[in-house]
Amino acid sequence: MAMQFVLLSLVILKLTSAFSATLNEAYGDSSCPLGSDIYQISCPEAEAIIFSMVEQAISQDSRMAASLLRLHFHDCFGCDASVLLDDRQDFVGEKTAGPNLNSLRGFEVIDAIKSELELICPQTVSCADILATAARDSTLLSGGPLWKVEMGRKDSLTASKNTANNNIPAPNSTVDVLVAKFENVGLTLQDMVALSGAHTIGIARCPTFTSRLQSSTVTDNPFDNMEFIASLQQLCSAPDNSNIGTQLDLATPATFDNQYYVNLLSGEGLLLSDQALVNGNEETRQIVETYVQNPQVFFEDFKNSMLKMGRLGFAQSNGEIHRDCRTIN
């Protein structure tokens, strides 16, 4: 997608006076304190700066789109930038939690964006809003849908390694576990299936899909693909496979599309929690089939679920605008 087209799209969204009313009508949550034009006066260049720097980061490292999107996910059973906070002598952050350790990346991109914004409009744009906007831009730059990011989040003064360990779904989760974890924070089964579509970009390392390779997971299920499982077994056969990985979507690895769901129906879901969407639950399988048949339905559902997820944790009143995303002020 051409730079001019994307920037024009952002400008149109910003200048359309009827957009806020449309947003409220579409998402029906007038109580949410987040807004579309929070920085229109205080830092009007914010979205353009974030977009430009995300675009530059992805041009230098194509994996960065998936990394920034994943950062927002792992922050967003709270959406308060707590995932960005470093450990200190008197403070334990979330970066060393099981789902995050040696897994999350892209922190330096967020640091660079924050530094630039602090030069132009100091202590105005929260790190949490940067994460949400960078996730949207990463999706858009990969060919996915565009949505208007709701902003106004505060950055957390605390972090919880324990919460990160318990709340973020593991890659070997069953559908029941996935649904329970999403419902625990107010997201639905539909949200879970739609947001799982983010796995249409990015990679995973062998240790995260070991359970996919074990004989106990190989059944007569019509959605099992023995040839695919055998290829994964060979890929991860080295004694030390901790740094060996493969694309979550082998067909269109750098494109945000509905191919992830096509792969599931072919038995080529990389993570056990991915393949479980068709192997383990009729309701989730029907949603997957809908997304295969109509990618625009997937895009619309993904956009709406991202907005819904982005509202999690908005009620925190003791937050602040971090000057440095790695530490409280």
Side-chain angles (χ1 to χ4, degrees), residues 76-125:
C76 246
F77 278 32
C79 293
D80 56 5
S82 58
V83 74
L84 302 177
L85 295 172
D86 284 341
D87 287 0
R88 301 189 304 275
Q89 186 173 359
D90 59 345
F91 183 91
V92 177
E94 299 169 9
K95 290 181 178 179
T96 56
N100 300 336
L101 183 63
N102 298 322
S103 174
L104 294 184
R105 59 195 296 270
F107 297 106
E108 71 285 352
V109 177
I110 302 301
D111 290 340
I113 293 171
K114 180 60 173 174
S115 294
E116 184 68 19
L117 289 173
E118 285 298 300
L119 289 175
I120 295 171
C121 30
Q123 214 165 339
T124 301
V125 182

Side-chain angles (χ1 to χ4, degrees), residues 71 106 108 118 137 249 322:
L71 256 185
E108 71 285 352
E118 285 298 300
D137 293 346
D249 170 14
H322 292 335

Side-chain angles (χ1 to χ4, degrees), residues 7 16 28 47 53 69 101 138 141 178 192 211 277 286 297:
L7 287 175
T16 302
E47 283 196 76
M53 297 187 74
L69 182 55
L101 183 63
S138 295
L141 287 162
L178 290 171
M192 182 271 290
S211 53
L277 297 182
Q286 290 175 350
V297 172

Side-chain angles (χ1 to χ4, degrees), residues 270-328:
L270 183 59
L271 306 180
L272 191 66
S273 57
D274 291 332
Q275 195 59 43
L277 297 182
V278 297
N279 283 17
N281 185 287
E282 183 176 351
E283 188 176 359
T284 56
R285 182 169 66 250
Q286 290 175 350
I287 298 172
V288 168
E289 290 170 347
T290 297
Y291 292 163
V292 168
Q293 295 163 5
N294 193 332
Q296 285 308 122
V297 172
F298 162 51
F299 274 22
E300 191 66 21
D301 284 356
F302 183 82
K303 175 173 65 175
N304 291 341
S305 293
M306 285 292 286
L307 281 162
K308 189 174 176 182
M309 183 182 73
R311 298 181 186 128
L312 299 179
F314 69 82
Q316 296 186 44
S317 59
N318 62 339
E320 64 180 16
I321 307 298
H322 292 335
R323 289 187 291 267
D324 178 343
C325 292
R326 292 179 181 262
T327 184
I328 59 177

